[in-house]
Amino acid sequence: MTLAESLPTPSRHREISGSRSPARMKSIGRLTGALYLLLAIIGGASYFLVSETLIVHGDAAATTQNILSNEGLFRAGVAAWLVTALIDIVIAYLFYWIFAPASPRLALMSMVFRLIYVSVHAAALTSLFGIISLIDQGAAAGMPDTVLRLAEAHLNGFMVSLLIFGVHLMLLAVMIYRTGAVPKLFAVLLMLAGGAYAADTFALALLPTASAASGYIDHAVTTLATAGEIGFLLWLLVAGIRTPHVR
């Protein structure tokens, strides 16, 4: 079955509801899990290999030198971020399709928040394209402060987007808990992960980056996001999803 054949097609509510056999739901659940895994791999590589490795916070000269010395990696990282945006849009629709019959308002809200998250991060990505423009013009080496400012502007925009993503996860957790589409353990884990993302964004605004509390929050985000999102996507890959029911 091709990806196009697996995707549910928009239609009248009656026609969509009629296609929700257990086998169909399991197939859509596994497709969602596969896309989520792909998203985690590509997004994780972009963040840790580019944003965390090439950008040295507070050191404009080192950041610029890293980017210029690894220009291909930097450009690939920006392109990978764009791919994750496209995958996120598909996942947003799939979750809506899965939960809309049982919880239409929450499903719509959850999809909207995920799409807003994608939009905010996409807007932040324009800062990285600003760095690419400086490279193409041969001006990056002579403007290290501008390069660092653009790189950090992207990271700040990404952090803002994670607050919105956290709300999406919490709405998804509520739908899972109410409908029994997957074990309720994942509702708890996703609720914690969503709260951790939101706390991390507020910590960026309220706490010094070098503070102990900020470090604890970063560790909590890593732990809870791994347990919640990775555990959830692995469940979807292996077991798929049950037809949600209003409870």
Side-chain angles (χ1 to χ4, degrees):
M1 178 180 291
T2 65
L3 176 61
E5 291 171 335
S6 299
L7 283 170
T9 56
S11 184
R12 292 174 299 179
H13 179 75
R14 180 177 58 193
E15 294 171 345
I16 292 177
S17 300
S19 67
R20 294 174 184 275
S21 66
R24 176 72 163 168
M25 295 303 299
K26 182 174 290 189
S27 174
I28 295 301
R30 286 175 172 167
L31 172 62
T32 306
L35 289 173
Y36 222 134
L37 178 60
L38 184 62
L39 179 68
I41 293 172
I42 298 175
S46 298
Y47 183 77
F48 290 107
L49 296 181
V50 178
S51 298
E52 285 290 300
T53 302
L54 299 184
I55 298 171
V56 183
H57 300 286
D59 193 332
T63 297
T64 303
Q65 181 59 43
N66 287 343
I67 291 174
L68 292 177
S69 299
N70 300 275
E71 182 182 338
L73 177 62
F74 179 74
R75 288 178 180 271
V78 175
W81 279 126
L82 295 175
V83 173
T84 64
L86 296 175
I87 296 174
D88 260 314
I89 291 170
V90 177
I91 291 175
Y93 169 66
L94 287 173
F95 279 137
Y96 174 77
W97 185 90
I98 289 168
F99 289 102
S103 190
R105 291 183 180 178
L106 279 177
L108 180 60
M109 288 178 60
S110 177
M111 181 177 68
V112 167
F113 270 95
R114 188 157 192 142
L115 293 178
I116 294 174
Y117 150 72
V118 173
S119 299
V120 172
H121 187 209
L125 283 173
T126 59
S127 295
L128 298 186
F129 278 99
I131 295 176
I132 290 175
S133 294
L134 291 177
I135 294 173
D136 291 341
Q137 295 165 13
M143 303 176 67
D145 290 337
T146 301
V147 170
L148 180 60
R149 185 166 60 250
L150 289 170
E152 292 187 335
H154 164 255
L155 289 176
N156 289 335
F158 180 54
M159 289 301 298
V160 171
S161 75
L162 288 181
L163 168 63
I164 301 166
F165 180 70
V167 175
H168 157 75
L169 286 185
M170 289 187 279
L171 291 170
L172 180 61
V174 172
M175 290 191 293
I176 289 172
Y177 187 85
R178 286 184 176 181
T179 64
V182 297
K184 291 185 177 180
L185 170 63
F186 294 109
V188 175
L189 292 175
L190 289 175
M191 181 64 73
L192 292 173
Y197 279 125
D200 199 25
T201 302
F202 281 110
L204 179 66
L206 299 173
L207 300 174
T209 304
S211 69
S214 180
Y216 292 144
I217 292 174
D218 285 342
H219 180 70
V221 170
T222 301
T223 302
L224 293 173
T226 300
E229 291 190 87
I230 301 300
F232 179 52
L233 74 84
L234 290 177
W235 177 272
L236 291 178
L237 273 173
V238 174
I241 200 163
R242 296 189 291 265
T243 302
H245 298 286
V246 179
R247 296 185 177 186

